[in-house]
Amino acid sequence: EREPATANLMADLSISAGIDRLVTWHPHSPQIQGFYDSVPVVKLEALSLFIESFERFRDREDVIVVAPDAGASKFVTKIGRELNLNAAIASKYRPHPEEATIQEVIGDFSGKKIAIVLDDMISSGGTVQALIKELAAKKGIEEIYLGASHNLCLQSAHKRLVDLIENDGLKEIILTNTIPQTEPFLSMPGLSVRDISGVLSQVIWQIHHNQPVSEVL
């Protein structure tokens, strides 16, 4: 799967407008950085945010972290390693647009009762819904916690998340404010929004004063 041509177009427009540097939070694909090859790119990952958010599950043998697809596997594996939790990866395909089917979930679910599902983005919610229903129905998972860096606030995603809360053991949803969240999402039970403005402002300050950003990362 490739990034849409519009992603490259936006990069060209930004560079033509005169940007000197790009600071981005948890980009959807590494390919995006290549579109900005003529300007420096600082990629901020959500590792620290989600590690802190799910710190209470550290070292628990009944908890597993799950990647919805291969694209999220490296990110989820890092968080699992930091929290000393096992990790699993789902294999999916899309028979139709905005519809996902989980073929299998690869990982050891022996004794696991709680799953933490992590991804960079929720758009229609099809992948999240398919995965969580698979975990609840076939893997013996009783409680599910969901973390995502970006939520596009689509109506289809809201409907699916409400269904998961009511029927499939979804207990908590952690998002960030990279996109302003709409009232229907903010009123959902168990949903919280993390503010990343502090991280962004600190990185911008470091860059402006010619200081390394590694300590912020």
Side-chain angles (χ1 to χ4, degrees), residues 54-98:
F54 296 109
E55 176 67 30
R56 62 192 185 277
F57 295 111
R58 179 181 292 274
D59 298 326
R60 287 185 52 172
E61 296 183 357
D62 62 338
V63 180
I64 189 168
V65 290
V66 185
D69 51 40
S73 60
K74 184 177 180 180
F75 174 71
V76 169
T77 300
K78 286 181 179 179
I79 291 181
R81 189 181 302 120
E82 288 293 329
L83 295 176
N84 194 28
L85 300 173
N86 288 347
I89 302 171
S91 173
K92 72 172 183 180
Y93 74 97
R94 293 188 180 276
H96 306 287
E98 297 191 3

Side-chain angles (χ1 to χ4, degrees), residues 2-216:
R2 294 174 291 178
E3 287 299 301
T6 47
N8 199 352
L9 172 62
M10 292 306 299
D12 291 342
L13 290 172
S14 300
I15 293 170
S16 297
I19 67 168
D20 299 306
R21 187 186 299 258
L22 175 70
V23 179
T24 182
W25 176 270
H26 202 169
H28 182 57
S29 168
Q31 294 172 337
I32 294 174
Q33 182 174 356
F35 297 155
Y36 294 85
D37 58 351
S38 62
V39 298
V41 177
V42 177
K43 295 190 300 180
L44 303 178
E45 293 191 353
L47 287 171
S48 298
L49 183 147
F50 288 125
I51 290 170
E52 178 182 347
S53 298
F54 296 109
E55 176 67 30
R56 62 192 185 277
F57 295 111
R58 179 181 292 274
D59 298 326
R60 287 185 52 172
E61 296 183 357
D62 62 338
V63 180
I64 189 168
V65 290
V66 185
D69 51 40
S73 60
K74 184 177 180 180
F75 174 71
V76 169
T77 300
K78 286 181 179 179
I79 291 181
R81 189 181 302 120
E82 288 293 329
L83 295 176
N84 194 28
L85 300 173
N86 288 347
I89 302 171
S91 173
K92 72 172 183 180
Y93 74 97
R94 293 188 180 276
H96 306 287
E98 297 191 3
E99 179 181 336
T101 298
I102 301 298
Q103 294 176 297
E104 62 177 328
V105 184
I106 304 169
D108 183 5
F109 283 83
S110 302
K112 303 297 187 286
K113 298 298 180 184
I114 298 173
I116 301 171
V117 177
L118 300 171
D119 205 358
D120 64 323
M121 181 175 68
I122 298 173
S123 53
S124 68
T127 297
V128 167
Q129 183 185 47
L131 174 57
I132 290 179
K133 286 189 174 294
E134 178 83 7
L135 295 175
K138 298 182 181 180
K139 297 298 183 181
I141 297 298
E142 299 173 357
E143 295 182 10
I144 298 167
Y145 298 80
L146 173 63
S149 285
H150 316 287
N151 176 36
L152 304 187
C153 295
L154 301 184
Q155 184 177 358
S156 57
H158 180 268
K159 182 179 179 180
R160 284 167 167 153
L161 291 175
V162 169
D163 171 64
L164 295 172
I165 292 171
E166 294 177 348
N167 301 304
D168 298 286
L170 179 58
K171 300 297 183 183
E172 183 179 12
I173 305 168
I174 296 177
L175 306 171
T176 76
N177 62 343
T178 57
I179 297 171
Q181 297 301 290
T182 59
E183 184 57 35
F185 283 91
L186 293 174
S187 62
M188 291 173 59
L191 185 142
S192 60
V193 179
R194 302 293 194 265
D195 182 9
I196 66 165
S197 60
V199 175
L200 292 177
S201 62
Q202 181 63 32
V203 169
I204 293 170
W205 188 94
Q206 299 283 112
I207 293 172
H208 182 71
H209 292 279
N210 294 316
Q211 300 296 317
V213 299
S214 57
E215 56 191 61
V216 181

